[in-house]
Structure formats: structure tokens, C-alpha cells
Amino acid sequence: MRVVRGSSGVPRRLRLLKPMVSRSGRMPDRLEAWVIALLGLLAAGSVAVVGVLSVADYGRLAASAAADARARHVVSASLRPDIPVPAGRATGVADVASVMAIWSAPDGRSRRGVVQVAVGPVFPEHFQVWTDQVGRQVAPPLSGSEVFITAVLGGVLWESAALAVLGGVYLIGRRLLDKHRARLWERALSGDATAP
């Protein structure tokens, strides 16, 4: 992106802060410069805070996923022999189907229930199921990449919310300052005060 420079060679965005250090600037201009500087500092601070919170969230999710991996088990399930094997999908594209299956729990007891199975052209007769200690179906634990993506997306969401709030504060402040500038100009034009 091309930076617009004035005759003094100072980038235009930096010139917005000039009234902050110059006593010749109008009060609304000085106030706006201070607001811009303050919101910039808050935005930088929010990035640091959200980064720390995201790292903590990643550690919490990783610990939870490790605990789930220790408490959950993968067992081999098969279609119930008293139910006909469903036909595969002729399209060749993997799909998901609900089937009645039977499996052995980690404690040796037999379990049965409805299982979601990925189906291709040939319907699988054996597949894996995640269970708890007594053989009830549970969701698989989060993988390392899922933990990372969840923590990053959470951080991005919080940072987006923080920047949206700061942007809203700036727009509201800018609108109020513009109204104040308009009143000053009206007074100057009516001769009630000197020009701002």
C-alpha cells in the first residue's frame, strides 16, 4: 500500500497525531489525536492479552484431550449378524450411514447400538468405535491439530470482538467531535466567537 506523504515528508497517518503535541491545534483535533493514540495502545494491549489467553486455552484443551485419550478406548465393531448388510454407495463418494452394530467393551461385556459409519462403494463389515470404560459410545478425543485450531480460532474471535468494540468507540467519538466542530464553525460564522 502506498503511503501518502505531505510536503513535510511525514506520512499522513502520523500527521493525525501532530495536534497532540502542538498547542496551536484546535481542541477537537487535539482530543481526537489523544483518542487515536489511546485506542492504538488499547488495541496493541488487547493483542497481547488475547495471545496470553489463547496460550492458556491451548494448554487447558491439550490437557483435557490427553485426559480424554486416557479414559476413552477404540474398539472394533461389526455389523449385527441378524441384520442384512446395507448396500454400498454406487457413486464412489464417501458417505455416512447409521447401522446397528455390536462390539465388546473394554471390560469384556458385549454392547450393541447405532453407529455412524463412513460408507463407500463397498459397505464395511468391521469399523472402529470410541467407547468409555463400560463400552458406551463417546466422541473421539481432540487431536493435536484440533486443539491448536480451536485455541487459535478462539483467540481470533476474541481479538475481533475487542477490535470491533474499539472501532465502535472511535466512530462514536469521531461523530461527537465532528458535531462539536460544526458548532464551533457555526459560532465563528455568526460572529459569536473567533474562528477555531
Side-chain angles (χ1 to χ4, degrees), residues 115-130:
V115 178
Q116 299 290 321
V117 180
V119 182
V122 178
F123 203 94
E125 293 187 13
H126 301 281
F127 35 86
Q128 292 183 333
V129 176
W130 280 92

mmCIF file with all atom_site columns, all heavy atoms in Angstrom, residues 115-130:
data_model
loop_
_atom_site.group_PDB
_atom_site.id
_atom_site.type_symbol
_atom_site.label_atom_id
_atom_site.label_alt_id
_atom_site.label_comp_id
_atom_site.label_asym_id
_atom_site.label_entity_id
_atom_site.label_seq_id
_atom_site.pdbx_PDB_ins_code
_atom_site.Cartn_x
_atom_site.Cartn_y
_atom_site.Cartn_z
_atom_site.occupancy
_atom_site.B_iso_or_equiv
_atom_site.pdbx_formal_charge
_atom_site.auth_seq_id
_atom_site.auth_comp_id
_atom_site.auth_asym_id
_atom_site.auth_atom_id
_atom_site.pdbx_PDB_model_num
ATOM 1   N N   . VAL A 1 115 ? -24.467 -47.010 15.138 1.00 0.00 ? 115 VAL A N   1
ATOM 2   C CA  . VAL A 1 115 ? -23.137 -46.442 14.910 1.00 0.00 ? 115 VAL A CA  1
ATOM 3   C C   . VAL A 1 115 ? -23.134 -45.716 13.573 1.00 0.00 ? 115 VAL A C   1
ATOM 4   O O   . VAL A 1 115 ? -23.730 -46.187 12.597 1.00 0.00 ? 115 VAL A O   1
ATOM 5   C CB  . VAL A 1 115 ? -22.059 -47.557 14.912 1.00 0.00 ? 115 VAL A CB  1
ATOM 6   C CG1 . VAL A 1 115 ? -20.687 -46.971 14.638 1.00 0.00 ? 115 VAL A CG1 1
ATOM 7   C CG2 . VAL A 1 115 ? -22.061 -48.291 16.239 1.00 0.00 ? 115 VAL A CG2 1
ATOM 8   N N   . GLN A 1 116 ? -22.464 -44.554 13.547 1.00 0.00 ? 116 GLN A N   1
ATOM 9   C CA  . GLN A 1 116 ? -22.278 -43.826 12.292 1.00 0.00 ? 116 GLN A CA  1
ATOM 10  C C   . GLN A 1 116 ? -21.037 -44.381 11.587 1.00 0.00 ? 116 GLN A C   1
ATOM 11  O O   . GLN A 1 116 ? -19.958 -44.423 12.164 1.00 0.00 ? 116 GLN A O   1
ATOM 12  C CB  . GLN A 1 116 ? -22.082 -42.332 12.561 1.00 0.00 ? 116 GLN A CB  1
ATOM 13  C CG  . GLN A 1 116 ? -23.258 -41.669 13.250 1.00 0.00 ? 116 GLN A CG  1
ATOM 14  C CD  . GLN A 1 116 ? -24.465 -41.557 12.349 1.00 0.00 ? 116 GLN A CD  1
ATOM 15  O OE1 . GLN A 1 116 ? -24.336 -41.280 11.162 1.00 0.00 ? 116 GLN A OE1 1
ATOM 16  N NE2 . GLN A 1 116 ? -25.636 -41.787 12.901 1.00 0.00 ? 116 GLN A NE2 1
ATOM 17  N N   . VAL A 1 117 ? -21.220 -44.830 10.349 1.00 0.00 ? 117 VAL A N   1
ATOM 18  C CA  . VAL A 1 117 ? -20.145 -45.484 9.603  1.00 0.00 ? 117 VAL A CA  1
ATOM 19  C C   . VAL A 1 117 ? -19.937 -44.770 8.272  1.00 0.00 ? 117 VAL A C   1
ATOM 20  O O   . VAL A 1 117 ? -20.912 -44.421 7.593  1.00 0.00 ? 117 VAL A O   1
ATOM 21  C CB  . VAL A 1 117 ? -20.483 -46.972 9.344  1.00 0.00 ? 117 VAL A CB  1
ATOM 22  C CG1 . VAL A 1 117 ? -19.353 -47.647 8.575  1.00 0.00 ? 117 VAL A CG1 1
ATOM 23  C CG2 . VAL A 1 117 ? -20.753 -47.689 10.641 1.00 0.00 ? 117 VAL A CG2 1
ATOM 24  N N   . ALA A 1 118 ? -18.658 -44.533 7.934  1.00 0.00 ? 118 ALA A N   1
ATOM 25  C CA  . ALA A 1 118 ? -18.337 -43.985 6.611  1.00 0.00 ? 118 ALA A CA  1
ATOM 26  C C   . ALA A 1 118 ? -18.532 -45.085 5.573  1.00 0.00 ? 118 ALA A C   1
ATOM 27  O O   . ALA A 1 118 ? -17.992 -46.172 5.702  1.00 0.00 ? 118 ALA A O   1
ATOM 28  C CB  . ALA A 1 118 ? -16.903 -43.467 6.590  1.00 0.00 ? 118 ALA A CB  1
ATOM 29  N N   . VAL A 1 119 ? -19.312 -44.786 4.550  1.00 0.00 ? 119 VAL A N   1
ATOM 30  C CA  . VAL A 1 119 ? -19.683 -45.783 3.546  1.00 0.00 ? 119 VAL A CA  1
ATOM 31  C C   . VAL A 1 119 ? -19.158 -45.358 2.185  1.00 0.00 ? 119 VAL A C   1
ATOM 32  O O   . VAL A 1 119 ? -19.324 -44.211 1.776  1.00 0.00 ? 119 VAL A O   1
ATOM 33  C CB  . VAL A 1 119 ? -21.217 -45.947 3.486  1.00 0.00 ? 119 VAL A CB  1
ATOM 34  C CG1 . VAL A 1 119 ? -21.597 -47.012 2.477  1.00 0.00 ? 119 VAL A CG1 1
ATOM 35  C CG2 . VAL A 1 119 ? -21.776 -46.288 4.852  1.00 0.00 ? 119 VAL A CG2 1
ATOM 36  N N   . GLY A 1 120 ? -18.510 -46.273 1.514  1.00 0.00 ? 120 GLY A N   1
ATOM 37  C CA  . GLY A 1 120 ? -18.065 -46.049 0.145  1.00 0.00 ? 120 GLY A CA  1
ATOM 38  C C   . GLY A 1 120 ? -18.792 -46.991 -0.801 1.00 0.00 ? 120 GLY A C   1
ATOM 39  O O   . GLY A 1 120 ? -19.908 -47.438 -0.518 1.00 0.00 ? 120 GLY A O   1
ATOM 40  N N   . PRO A 1 121 ? -18.176 -47.362 -1.926 1.00 0.00 ? 121 PRO A N   1
ATOM 41  C CA  . PRO A 1 121 ? -18.821 -48.312 -2.843 1.00 0.00 ? 121 PRO A CA  1
ATOM 42  C C   . PRO A 1 121 ? -19.088 -49.666 -2.186 1.00 0.00 ? 121 PRO A C   1
ATOM 43  O O   . PRO A 1 121 ? -20.039 -50.352 -2.553 1.00 0.00 ? 121 PRO A O   1
ATOM 44  C CB  . PRO A 1 121 ? -17.803 -48.443 -3.989 1.00 0.00 ? 121 PRO A CB  1
ATOM 45  C CG  . PRO A 1 121 ? -16.995 -47.191 -3.920 1.00 0.00 ? 121 PRO A CG  1
ATOM 46  C CD  . PRO A 1 121 ? -16.933 -46.819 -2.470 1.00 0.00 ? 121 PRO A CD  1
ATOM 47  N N   . VAL A 1 122 ? -18.244 -50.052 -1.218 1.00 0.00 ? 122 VAL A N   1
ATOM 48  C CA  . VAL A 1 122 ? -18.437 -51.323 -0.502 1.00 0.00 ? 122 VAL A CA  1
ATOM 49  C C   . VAL A 1 122 ? -18.705 -50.998 0.957  1.00 0.00 ? 122 VAL A C   1
ATOM 50  O O   . VAL A 1 122 ? -17.966 -50.225 1.578  1.00 0.00 ? 122 VAL A O   1
ATOM 51  C CB  . VAL A 1 122 ? -17.189 -52.226 -0.634 1.00 0.00 ? 122 VAL A CB  1
ATOM 52  C CG1 . VAL A 1 122 ? -17.392 -53.515 0.146  1.00 0.00 ? 122 VAL A CG1 1
ATOM 53  C CG2 . VAL A 1 122 ? -16.916 -52.523 -2.099 1.00 0.00 ? 122 VAL A CG2 1
ATOM 54  N N   . PHE A 1 123 ? -19.764 -51.581 1.509  1.00 0.00 ? 123 PHE A N   1
ATOM 55  C CA  . PHE A 1 123 ? -20.109 -51.298 2.896  1.00 0.00 ? 123 PHE A CA  1
ATOM 56  C C   . PHE A 1 123 ? -19.159 -52.063 3.816  1.00 0.00 ? 123 PHE A C   1
ATOM 57  O O   . PHE A 1 123 ? -18.994 -53.273 3.685  1.00 0.00 ? 123 PHE A O   1
ATOM 58  C CB  . PHE A 1 123 ? -21.549 -51.733 3.176  1.00 0.00 ? 123 PHE A CB  1
ATOM 59  C CG  . PHE A 1 123 ? -22.159 -51.024 4.349  1.00 0.00 ? 123 PHE A CG  1
ATOM 60  C CD1 . PHE A 1 123 ? -22.912 -49.883 4.169  1.00 0.00 ? 123 PHE A CD1 1
ATOM 61  C CD2 . PHE A 1 123 ? -21.952 -51.489 5.636  1.00 0.00 ? 123 PHE A CD2 1
ATOM 62  C CE1 . PHE A 1 123 ? -23.466 -49.218 5.240  1.00 0.00 ? 123 PHE A CE1 1
ATOM 63  C CE2 . PHE A 1 123 ? -22.496 -50.833 6.714  1.00 0.00 ? 123 PHE A CE2 1
ATOM 64  C CZ  . PHE A 1 123 ? -23.260 -49.698 6.522  1.00 0.00 ? 123 PHE A CZ  1
ATOM 65  N N   . PRO A 1 124 ? -18.515 -51.402 4.784  1.00 0.00 ? 124 PRO A N   1
ATOM 66  C CA  . PRO A 1 124 ? -17.565 -52.096 5.660  1.00 0.00 ? 124 PRO A CA  1
ATOM 67  C C   . PRO A 1 124 ? -18.296 -52.998 6.655  1.00 0.00 ? 124 PRO A C   1
ATOM 68  O O   . PRO A 1 124 ? -19.361 -52.652 7.159  1.00 0.00 ? 124 PRO A O   1
ATOM 69  C CB  . PRO A 1 124 ? -16.854 -50.948 6.380  1.00 0.00 ? 124 PRO A CB  1
ATOM 70  C CG  . PRO A 1 124 ? -17.844 -49.834 6.382  1.00 0.00 ? 124 PRO A CG  1
ATOM 71  C CD  . PRO A 1 124 ? -18.617 -49.970 5.100  1.00 0.00 ? 124 PRO A CD  1
ATOM 72  N N   . GLU A 1 125 ? -17.698 -54.150 6.920  1.00 0.00 ? 125 GLU A N   1
ATOM 73  C CA  . GLU A 1 125 ? -18.294 -55.057 7.904  1.00 0.00 ? 125 GLU A CA  1
ATOM 74  C C   . GLU A 1 125 ? -17.692 -54.843 9.286  1.00 0.00 ? 125 GLU A C   1
ATOM 75  O O   . GLU A 1 125 ? -18.306 -55.189 10.286 1.00 0.00 ? 125 GLU A O   1
ATOM 76  C CB  . GLU A 1 125 ? -18.087 -56.512 7.462  1.00 0.00 ? 125 GLU A CB  1
ATOM 77  C CG  . GLU A 1 125 ? -18.860 -56.867 6.203  1.00 0.00 ? 125 GLU A CG  1
ATOM 78  C CD  . GLU A 1 125 ? -18.771 -58.355 5.877  1.00 0.00 ? 125 GLU A CD  1
ATOM 79  O OE1 . GLU A 1 125 ? -18.330 -59.121 6.762  1.00 0.00 ? 125 GLU A OE1 1
ATOM 80  O OE2 . GLU A 1 125 ? -19.133 -58.726 4.762  1.00 0.00 ? 125 GLU A OE2 1
ATOM 81  N N   . HIS A 1 126 ? -16.477 -54.282 9.341  1.00 0.00 ? 126 HIS A N   1
ATOM 82  C CA  . HIS A 1 126 ? -15.824 -54.004 10.618 1.00 0.00 ? 126 HIS A CA  1
ATOM 83  C C   . HIS A 1 126 ? -15.355 -52.550 10.617 1.00 0.00 ? 126 HIS A C   1
ATOM 84  O O   . HIS A 1 126 ? -14.889 -52.044 9.600  1.00 0.00 ? 126 HIS A O   1
ATOM 85  C CB  . HIS A 1 126 ? -14.622 -54.945 10.833 1.00 0.00 ? 126 HIS A CB  1
ATOM 86  C CG  . HIS A 1 126 ? -15.009 -56.391 10.829 1.00 0.00 ? 126 HIS A CG  1
ATOM 87  N ND1 . HIS A 1 126 ? -15.580 -57.015 11.914 1.00 0.00 ? 126 HIS A ND1 1
ATOM 88  C CD2 . HIS A 1 126 ? -14.915 -57.338 9.848  1.00 0.00 ? 126 HIS A CD2 1
ATOM 89  C CE1 . HIS A 1 126 ? -15.819 -58.281 11.617 1.00 0.00 ? 126 HIS A CE1 1
ATOM 90  N NE2 . HIS A 1 126 ? -15.425 -58.500 10.370 1.00 0.00 ? 126 HIS A NE2 1
ATOM 91  N N   . PHE A 1 127 ? -15.479 -51.902 11.753 1.00 0.00 ? 127 PHE A N   1
ATOM 92  C CA  . PHE A 1 127 ? -15.104 -50.496 11.872 1.00 0.00 ? 127 PHE A CA  1
ATOM 93  C C   . PHE A 1 127 ? -14.795 -50.203 13.327 1.00 0.00 ? 127 PHE A C   1
ATOM 94  O O   . PHE A 1 127 ? -15.037 -51.026 14.209 1.00 0.00 ? 127 PHE A O   1
ATOM 95  C CB  . PHE A 1 127 ? -16.221 -49.583 11.351 1.00 0.00 ? 127 PHE A CB  1
ATOM 96  C CG  . PHE A 1 127 ? -17.595 -50.105 11.621 1.00 0.00 ? 127 PHE A CG  1
ATOM 97  C CD1 . PHE A 1 127 ? -18.223 -49.855 12.818 1.00 0.00 ? 127 PHE A CD1 1
ATOM 98  C CD2 . PHE A 1 127 ? -18.247 -50.883 10.673 1.00 0.00 ? 127 PHE A CD2 1
ATOM 99  C CE1 . PHE A 1 127 ? -19.477 -50.359 13.079 1.00 0.00 ? 127 PHE A CE1 1
ATOM 100 C CE2 . PHE A 1 127 ? -19.509 -51.390 10.919 1.00 0.00 ? 127 PHE A CE2 1
ATOM 101 C CZ  . PHE A 1 127 ? -20.131 -51.124 12.138 1.00 0.00 ? 127 PHE A CZ  1
ATOM 102 N N   . GLN A 1 128 ? -14.217 -49.020 13.564 1.00 0.00 ? 128 GLN A N   1
ATOM 103 C CA  . GLN A 1 128 ? -13.789 -48.653 14.912 1.00 0.00 ? 128 GLN A CA  1
ATOM 104 C C   . GLN A 1 128 ? -14.815 -47.745 15.587 1.00 0.00 ? 128 GLN A C   1
ATOM 105 O O   . GLN A 1 128 ? -15.445 -46.902 14.946 1.00 0.00 ? 128 GLN A O   1
ATOM 106 C CB  . GLN A 1 128 ? -12.433 -47.951 14.870 1.00 0.00 ? 128 GLN A CB  1
ATOM 107 C CG  . GLN A 1 128 ? -11.294 -48.866 14.452 1.00 0.00 ? 128 GLN A CG  1
ATOM 108 C CD  . GLN A 1 128 ? -9.965  -48.164 14.497 1.00 0.00 ? 128 GLN A CD  1
ATOM 109 O OE1 . GLN A 1 128 ? -9.878  -46.948 14.348 1.00 0.00 ? 128 GLN A OE1 1
ATOM 110 N NE2 . GLN A 1 128 ? -8.901  -48.931 14.705 1.00 0.00 ? 128 GLN A NE2 1
ATOM 111 N N   . VAL A 1 129 ? -14.958 -47.943 16.897 1.00 0.00 ? 129 VAL A N   1
ATOM 112 C CA  . VAL A 1 129 ? -15.884 -47.148 17.715 1.00 0.00 ? 129 VAL A CA  1
ATOM 113 C C   . VAL A 1 129 ? -15.146 -46.689 18.962 1.00 0.00 ? 129 VAL A C   1
ATOM 114 O O   . VAL A 1 129 ? -14.430 -47.471 19.596 1.00 0.00 ? 129 VAL A O   1
ATOM 115 C CB  . VAL A 1 129 ? -17.131 -47.984 18.100 1.00 0.00 ? 129 VAL A CB  1
ATOM 116 C CG1 . VAL A 1 129 ? -18.040 -47.183 19.022 1.00 0.00 ? 129 VAL A CG1 1
ATOM 117 C CG2 . VAL A 1 129 ? -17.882 -48.447 16.866 1.00 0.00 ? 129 VAL A CG2 1
ATOM 118 N N   . TRP A 1 130 ? -15.308 -45.425 19.321 1.00 0.00 ? 130 TRP A N   1
ATOM 119 C CA  . TRP A 1 130 ? -14.746 -44.904 20.567 1.00 0.00 ? 130 TRP A CA  1
ATOM 120 C C   . TRP A 1 130 ? -15.748 -45.152 21.688 1.00 0.00 ? 130 TRP A C   1
ATOM 121 O O   . TRP A 1 130 ? -16.933 -44.848 21.556 1.00 0.00 ? 130 TRP A O   1
ATOM 122 C CB  . TRP A 1 130 ? -14.465 -43.404 20.452 1.00 0.00 ? 130 TRP A CB  1
ATOM 123 C CG  . TRP A 1 130 ? -13.194 -43.093 19.737 1.00 0.00 ? 130 TRP A CG  1
ATOM 124 C CD1 . TRP A 1 130 ? -13.040 -42.849 18.408 1.00 0.00 ? 130 TRP A CD1 1
ATOM 125 C CD2 . TRP A 1 130 ? -11.901 -42.988 20.314 1.00 0.00 ? 130 TRP A CD2 1
ATOM 126 N NE1 . TRP A 1 130 ? -11.727 -42.606 18.113 1.00 0.00 ? 130 TRP A NE1 1
ATOM 127 C CE2 . TRP A 1 130 ? -11.007 -42.677 19.274 1.00 0.00 ? 130 TRP A CE2 1
ATOM 128 C CE3 . TRP A 1 130 ? -11.401 -43.126 21.601 1.00 0.00 ? 130 TRP A CE3 1
ATOM 129 C CZ2 . TRP A 1 130 ? -9.642  -42.506 19.479 1.00 0.00 ? 130 TRP A CZ2 1
ATOM 130 C CZ3 . TRP A 1 130 ? -10.048 -42.949 21.819 1.00 0.00 ? 130 TRP A CZ3 1
ATOM 131 C CH2 . TRP A 1 130 ? -9.183  -42.645 20.769 1.00 0.00 ? 130 TRP A CH2 1
#
